[in-house]
Amino acid sequence: MTEHRVAHRVLVLNSGSSSLKYQLLDMSDSSRLAAGLVERIGEQTSRLVHTPFTGGGGERRERTGPIGDHDAALKAVADELAADGLGLDSPELAAIGHRVVHGGRLFTEPTVVDDAVLAEIERLIPVAPLHNPANLTGIRTARALRPDLPQVAVFDTAFHTTMPESAARYAIDVETADAHRIRRYGFHGTSHAYVSRRTAALLGKEPSEVNVIVLHLGNGASASAVRGGVCVDTSMGLTPLEGLVMGTRSGDVDPAVVFHLVRVAGMATDEIDDLLNKRSGLVGLCGDNDMREIRRRIDEGDRAARLAFDIYVHRLKKYIGAYYAVLGRVDAVVFTAGVGENAAPVREAAVAGLEELGLVVDGGLNAVRDGGERLISPPGARVAVAVVPTDEELEIATQTYALVHP
């Protein structure tokens, strides 16, 4: 008798303009089977790094050489997976889940991709010109390779579509805003969804029972106010430029800075875009966007690094206070992503002076680096302060599998 295999694997793809990140997960136990990255697609120096985790794990494999386009990249990934007995032709593969940065107001949940969905994602390119075209390329490539398999788009913006109009609207002319889809969309939604839910579990409660401020601090950074498992405000806006100080992005600035640079400095729109997105934030303030390097420089007495750190923390603290006011009651403030998970001085500084709000960090707990979910506030603290590693790929896989295998 032929053994019937349940399709319980999900391949997660995150397609960039010249890169393709991937993970293959087994949703029967949420374990990783393989993960990797193809970078510098379209160049002679393309590089594929692949790590299998089956059978106790295998050695990382790396190969270099020209990979002409995303189609070639995905086929190369398929070859690596097949070498581990995890080929994309396996009957155990249930779906392919795609990270899509911008879903606008229409896509409020994961969606099986068809031609109409592709057309709508393409229509949103003007509000996500750097990301949606690459996401579309990945989807089209995967559809061509496995046209029989459900392709599911999971949107960074979806978690934030629950924001009330009072939080999502900008105070500009309504007709102009509606005509050009100008509003707060927010990003990092899969991370905020996953981390807020895991924080509730860490507190021994259901997501519906807790109010959480999530601080996703990586090279890109965003904050969100989550009431009862539902996002009610977030720091990124029409684009990922608004909000916190980031590695290379300015975050909040007076909009008139743009007009000033046009009139006084004679800068073109593209130059200003490049300035605010790529030459601002920490790198603009001190020349480094790596928090570890900034802390090293501070320890050596570097004043520019110290000022950059202080500006970063000042903005972070403002958002904690603002979202505390929005929520009214806060059960936890949680740090996640590269900086949030690893930079103890950032966590300590972000809540310093907020004791009257119930926010306190235990120095010993904060210094621990075990990589897991943990509380860093003292026992009995009025507001929990936590570190919860994000897992956007698992969140995408979970949402994808729930849609195709309810």
Side-chain angles (χ1 to χ4, degrees):
M1 174 180 276
T2 303
E3 180 184 1
H4 176 67
R5 294 185 179 182
V6 177
H8 51 73
R9 295 176 184 169
V10 174
L11 177 65
V12 175
L13 297 180
N14 182 353
S15 181
S17 57
S18 61
S19 66
L20 180 66
K21 297 178 184 177
Y22 64 94
Q23 286 195 19
L24 181 66
L25 296 98
D26 186 331
M27 299 314 297
S28 64
D29 59 5
S30 299
S31 63
R32 279 171 178 73
L33 302 175
L37 165 69
V38 186
E39 58 185 353
R40 298 192 290 273
I41 296 172
E43 300 181 20
Q44 293 298 307
T45 57
S46 304
R47 174 172 172 260
L48 189 157
V49 179
H50 174 86
T51 304
F53 300 114
T54 54
E59 289 191 8
R60 189 178 85 160
R61 302 195 295 269
E62 181 176 332
R63 57 167 155 149
T64 57
I67 296 178
D69 53 27
H70 284 74
D71 182 60
L74 188 54
K75 287 177 180 175
V77 169
D79 289 343
E80 293 296 333
L81 291 169
D84 300 315
L86 303 169
L88 297 191
D89 58 351
S90 168
E92 295 177 66
L93 187 60
I96 299 178
H98 299 266
R99 178 195 181 213
V100 179
V101 166
H102 216 308
R105 299 184 67 183
L106 180 62
F107 297 112
T108 61
E109 54 191 17
T111 304
V112 174
V113 174
D114 57 20
D115 289 343
V117 170
L118 278 177
E120 182 62 22
I121 296 172
E122 189 164 17
R123 196 174 73 85
L124 288 164
I125 286 176
V127 291
L130 299 178
H131 298 95
N132 273 30
N135 301 155
L136 279 166
T137 297
I139 295 171
R140 287 172 174 144
T141 299
R143 286 183 92 197
L145 191 62
R146 283 298 307 269
D148 59 311
L149 205 62
Q151 309 284 333
V152 177
V154 179
F155 300 90
D156 273 11
T157 50
F159 183 64
H160 304 302
T161 57
T162 55
M163 285 187 293
E165 285 292 279
S166 56
R169 282 274 185 186
Y170 292 111
I172 65 173
D173 172 67
V174 172
E175 289 186 6
T176 301
D178 288 348
H180 301 286
R181 302 190 294 278
I182 299 171
R183 63 187 287 112
R184 181 179 308 283
Y185 292 102
F187 300 88
H188 295 145
T190 51
S191 177
H192 287 279
Y194 176 83
V195 170
S196 60
R197 191 172 63 251
R198 291 304 309 160
T199 301
L202 186 63
L203 299 179
K205 297 183 178 181
E206 292 296 319
S208 60
E209 299 177 298
V210 299
N211 293 349
V212 182
I213 297 173
V214 180
L215 304 171
H216 177 110
L217 308 179
N219 191 49
S222 60
S224 68
V226 183
R227 177 184 292 125
V230 175
C231 178
V232 295
D233 206 350
T234 192
S235 58
M236 286 179 168
L238 173 71
T239 76
L241 180 60
E242 190 180 0
L244 302 175
V245 175
M246 304 176 224
T248 66
R249 298 177 198 146
S250 64
D252 295 338
V253 294
D254 181 346
V257 167
V258 176
F259 314 139
H260 181 77
L261 290 173
V262 170
R263 294 167 183 152
V264 175
M267 294 178 68
T269 304
D270 288 347
E271 290 180 277
I272 300 171
D273 189 308
D274 182 76
L275 170 70
L276 296 179
N277 277 289
K278 299 179 181 178
R279 296 187 287 119
S280 295
L282 292 172
V283 79
L285 291 167
C286 71
D288 271 310
N289 63 341
D290 187 322
M291 188 58 72
R292 295 165 297 187
E293 181 64 16
I294 290 171
R295 290 303 308 177
R296 184 193 66 77
R297 288 171 53 183
I298 290 172
D299 291 342
E300 294 178 353
D302 188 306
R303 296 173 72 177
R306 165 53 68 183
L307 179 60
F309 181 85
D310 289 347
I311 292 170
Y312 182 95
V313 169
H314 178 77
R315 185 81 56 81
L316 192 54
K317 193 172 294 190
K318 283 176 65 175
Y319 270 91
I320 293 172
Y323 287 170
Y324 205 119
V326 167
L327 291 170
R329 186 199 84 239
V330 174
D331 299 292
V333 173
V334 57
F335 293 85
T336 192
V339 175
E341 293 168 28
N342 298 298
V346 170
R347 298 191 296 260
E348 181 181 10
V351 301
L354 302 181
E355 293 83 4
E356 291 296 318
L357 298 179
L359 289 165
V360 183
V361 163
D362 180 287
L365 294 175
N366 189 37
V368 173
R369 298 191 62 173
D370 69 356
E373 299 175 354
R374 60 201 186 276
L375 295 176
I376 59 173
S377 47
R382 180 153 54 96
V383 178
V385 182
V387 177
V388 174
T390 191
D391 197 333
E392 294 175 88
E393 289 79 13
L394 177 57
E395 181 68 17
I396 292 170
T398 300
Q399 292 189 27
T400 296
Y401 192 66
L403 183 62
V404 303
H405 195 274

